Amino acid sequence: MNAQQIQTFFSTLRAANPSPQTELEYASVFELLSAVLLSAQATDVGVNKATRRLFPVANTPQKILALGLEGLSEYIRTIGLYRSKAKHLMATCQILVDQHGGQVPRSREALEALPGVGRKTANVVLNVAFGEPTMAVDTHLFRVSNRTGLAPGKTPLAVEMGLLKRIPAEFMVDAHHWLILHGRYVCKARQPLCSACTVSSQCDHGRRLQSILD
């Protein structure tokens, strides 16, 4: 994809969805952090089902700690890897209380120091909660970036750096959401819906496919 194709690509996605949002349900920065931490190797739908039960009871670090490990585990047991995630969330809550006054820190360094929080999770929190132009590369973004030619790379970090370099500034804050939604519902892993894709003419894969059909 060249610069003009990238401009058209994101202009098209923006026209279809001017204000994209995460599909995780949350009402505070702490709820967002918790939901993203729980979402590793799990679907947003599955996480939302669990947090709809958890957050009305415990939606602050202090309340999570008051539940105790077993109590927390009962609320999230439907989520994959729930035991390790419960331990990570409990440890994170303790650090938030001890070191950050119960608030979620705004710096990448402090976020990545929390148990269970890696670069991708930190990027989501920085972008969604604080409006920073970060790029959280999950399996969807990795696939879309490589398949379309937007930002090819062999590792998530390489793709992230490529996206940050190639995406125009006007699209940066919302680009993560557009790409994840595009990968989740259109540019699927096994059967991409190229015939229904509104940006296939800008996509390297789409143009190759069209040339074969022609």
Side-chain angles (χ1 to χ4, degrees):
M1 294 176 75
N2 60 35
Q4 182 55 55
Q5 288 164 342
I6 291 173
Q7 181 75 30
T8 303
F9 180 91
F10 282 105
S11 294
T12 302
L13 295 179
R14 180 173 62 186
N17 186 4
S19 301
Q21 304 293 324
T22 178
E23 293 186 324
L24 288 171
E25 297 172 0
Y26 70 98
S28 68
V29 181
F30 175 72
E31 287 187 5
L32 174 65
L33 172 64
S34 300
V36 178
L37 189 155
L38 295 173
S39 70
Q41 299 182 52
T43 65
D44 288 357
V45 172
V47 172
N48 288 338
K49 286 181 179 179
T51 57
R52 284 172 196 157
R53 295 177 57 241
L54 172 64
F55 289 158
V57 175
N59 64 345
T60 67
Q62 296 87 344
K63 290 179 179 179
I64 293 287
L65 291 172
L67 280 180
L69 182 60
E70 289 306 313
L72 173 60
S73 297
E74 283 301 311
Y75 281 100
I76 66 171
R77 64 183 303 116
T78 56
I79 301 174
L81 306 174
Y82 77 94
R83 291 189 185 278
S84 63
K85 291 177 181 179
K87 292 178 181 177
H88 286 152
L89 183 52
M90 289 291 289
T92 283
C93 288
Q94 193 66 61
I95 292 173
L96 292 178
V97 169
D98 293 344
Q99 300 181 20
H100 302 287
Q103 301 299 308
V104 177
R106 189 165 181 166
S107 76
R108 175 186 299 282
E109 182 181 20
L111 284 168
E112 291 188 19
L114 299 172
V117 177
R119 185 176 183 87
K120 182 183 74 173
T121 299
N123 278 337
V124 173
V125 173
L126 290 170
N127 177 263
V128 176
F130 301 122
E132 296 192 17
T134 60
M135 202 59 55
V137 179
D138 65 356
T139 56
H140 296 299
L141 265 76
F142 189 80
R143 178 177 66 256
V144 171
S145 297
N146 277 284
R147 181 182 279 163
T148 63
L150 173 60
K154 294 183 178 180
T155 66
L157 183 59
V159 168
E160 178 184 341
M161 294 299 104
L163 290 171
L164 292 173
K165 182 178 180 179
R166 302 200 76 199
I167 297 175
E170 65 179 296
F171 302 117
M172 275 300 304
V173 172
D174 291 322
H176 160 253
H177 293 301
W178 287 319
L179 291 174
I180 194 172
L181 292 171
H182 191 65
R184 185 173 289 166
Y185 298 112
V186 180
C187 196
K188 300 179 180 181
R190 294 186 178 181
Q191 292 184 315
L193 305 179
C194 296
S195 61
C197 178
T198 59
V199 290
S200 61
S201 59
Q202 280 71 56
C203 163
D204 288 357
H205 176 77
R207 290 198 305 278
R208 284 196 299 269
L209 184 62
Q210 189 60 47
S211 67
I212 293 172
L213 294 176
D214 292 343

